[in-house]
Amino acid sequence: MKKNRKNLALLLLAASLLAGCAGQSNSQSSQSSQAKSEKKAESKASSKSAAKSAASSAVSSSAVSSTKSSSSQASSKSAASSSQRADVNRMGTLTSQLRVKLPGMLLPAADGLGQGSSNLNIRYTSSSSQNVVYYSVGNSPLALNDSRIASEKPYAVLTENKNVADASSLINYQEPKTGLPAVKIAGNVTGTEEGAAGSTYLQFNQGQWSFVVRASNVQGQKPLPTAQKLLALYQQYGLPDTAAKSSVQVDVGESLGSLNTVITWAKGSSVYQLKAHSMETAFKMLKSLK
């Protein structure tokens, strides 16, 4: 009996020891799981923090780049604007000086140039019967009527013939032609074409203006493309008010110093004539006339 009690006591002790070991193992496993969870949480937090930092850095870099780009664009626009103002101011300054020298003469406010305005030069001659203004582009800007301007090829020449008794003798207006081949210029505008002395002349009339384009047969030129451009410029810019029938004469081909566009009209007792190296330059200058 005593022996059985002793065995029972030993069994109970062994069971108690086994239960203690199991509890300790579960506790260690729980602690290990908790540690792993904490590490995962820390890893996620670290990843989120790194992502936020990268995004913030990217936004900051983009903002800096955008600021630099905006600054560069603003600088370029400012430079272009300053250049344009300088060009306009040069034409304005020279024209203001001309108005003092040639009071009462109609003068353009625009130089009509696509480039070279910063080196615009002007000289003039004046007498009791005539004023002549020469517009040119040089290697550098010179004072009004500087003697060196005379060696430059003018791209435009504006002449005022004063106190003219018979304006028609200077204007060379062409009445509409009949009995000649008809040529459609554009829209409902039709002209006539004729050949003479190795040239082909294409003429059309609008209001008080006659338009004549001359093309060289020897050089293989055709008058129609130039006539179409001429009509388009007239419709876009118009021409000065005229006191008499007036004329536009154009030789096909444009080059520096050619002065192939000649526009002549009457204003009061004066007859004006503008010669220019290109049609577009002539129309731009006349549009600004005052």
Side-chain angles (χ1 to χ4, degrees):
M1 188 71 173
K2 288 182 181 180
K3 188 175 182 179
N4 289 335
R5 288 180 181 174
K6 187 176 181 179
N7 288 336
L8 180 60
L10 289 173
L11 288 172
L12 290 173
L13 178 60
S16 176
L17 289 174
L18 288 173
C21 288
Q24 187 175 11
S25 176
N26 289 337
S27 175
Q28 288 177 348
S29 176
S30 174
Q31 289 176 359
S32 176
S33 297
Q34 184 176 355
K36 288 182 180 181
S37 297
E38 288 176 354
K39 285 184 179 180
K40 285 184 180 180
E42 288 178 359
S43 177
K44 287 183 180 180
S46 177
S47 297
K48 287 183 180 179
S49 177
K52 286 183 179 179
S53 177
S56 176
S57 177
V59 169
S60 176
S61 176
S62 175
V64 170
S65 177
S66 176
T67 301
K68 288 182 178 179
S69 177
S70 298
S71 176
S72 177
Q73 290 176 358
S75 178
S76 297
K77 288 182 180 179
S78 177
S81 178
S82 298
S83 176
Q84 290 173 355
R85 285 197 300 271
D87 294 346
V88 171
N89 289 342
R90 178 152 182 78
M91 180 63 176
T93 298
L94 292 173
T95 301
S96 295
Q97 295 172 5
L98 267 180
R99 294 193 191 284
V100 175
K101 302 294 184 180
L102 307 173
M105 181 179 179
L106 291 174
L107 296 169
D111 59 29
L113 294 170
Q115 58 183 3
S117 296
S118 58
N119 287 334
L120 170 71
N121 290 319
I122 299 177
R123 68 182 180 91
Y124 71 92
T125 61
S126 181
S127 68
S128 59
S129 61
Q130 188 181 74
N131 294 325
V132 185
V133 182
Y134 302 85
Y135 297 83
S136 61
V137 175
N139 295 321
S140 61
L142 301 172
L144 178 67
N145 248 22
D146 188 294
S147 60
R148 289 170 289 178
I149 300 175
S151 63
E152 298 175 354
K153 285 186 177 181
Y155 70 84
V157 179
L158 179 62
T159 301
E160 179 192 17
N161 297 287
K162 296 180 279 186
N163 302 315
V164 177
D166 181 14
S168 62
S169 63
L170 296 175
I171 292 177
N172 195 30
Y173 171 84
Q174 300 292 309
E175 294 289 348
K177 300 291 194 303
T178 58
L180 294 172
V183 178
K184 182 177 180 180
I185 309 298
N188 61 352
V189 179
T190 301
T192 56
E193 188 176 88
E194 65 178 326
S199 298
T200 299
Y201 296 84
L202 178 54
Q203 176 186 333
F204 62 95
N205 291 61
Q206 295 283 288
Q208 292 207 94
W209 292 86
S210 68
F211 300 79
V212 178
V213 176
R214 185 188 74 85
S216 170
N217 296 335
V218 176
Q219 297 180 39
Q221 297 173 339
K222 302 296 181 182
L224 182 57
T226 298
Q228 291 172 329
K229 181 180 179 181
L230 176 57
L231 176 61
L233 288 169
Y234 169 67
Q235 292 173 337
Q236 179 180 357
Y237 293 101
L239 284 167
D241 293 333
T242 176
K245 292 180 177 180
S246 302
S247 69
V248 179
Q249 297 173 293
V250 178
D251 284 351
V252 175
E254 299 179 348
S255 60
L256 181 62
S258 64
L259 304 180
N260 282 347
T261 297
V262 182
I263 302 175
T264 314
W265 74 100
K267 182 69 174 179
S269 62
S270 295
V271 172
Y272 284 85
Q273 183 179 82
L274 177 66
K275 295 181 178 180
H277 75 145
S278 82
M279 293 186 293
E280 187 167 4
T281 292
F283 276 89
K284 285 180 177 180
M285 293 180 76
L286 292 183
K287 178 68 175 178
S288 69
L289 206 66
K290 58 183 178 180

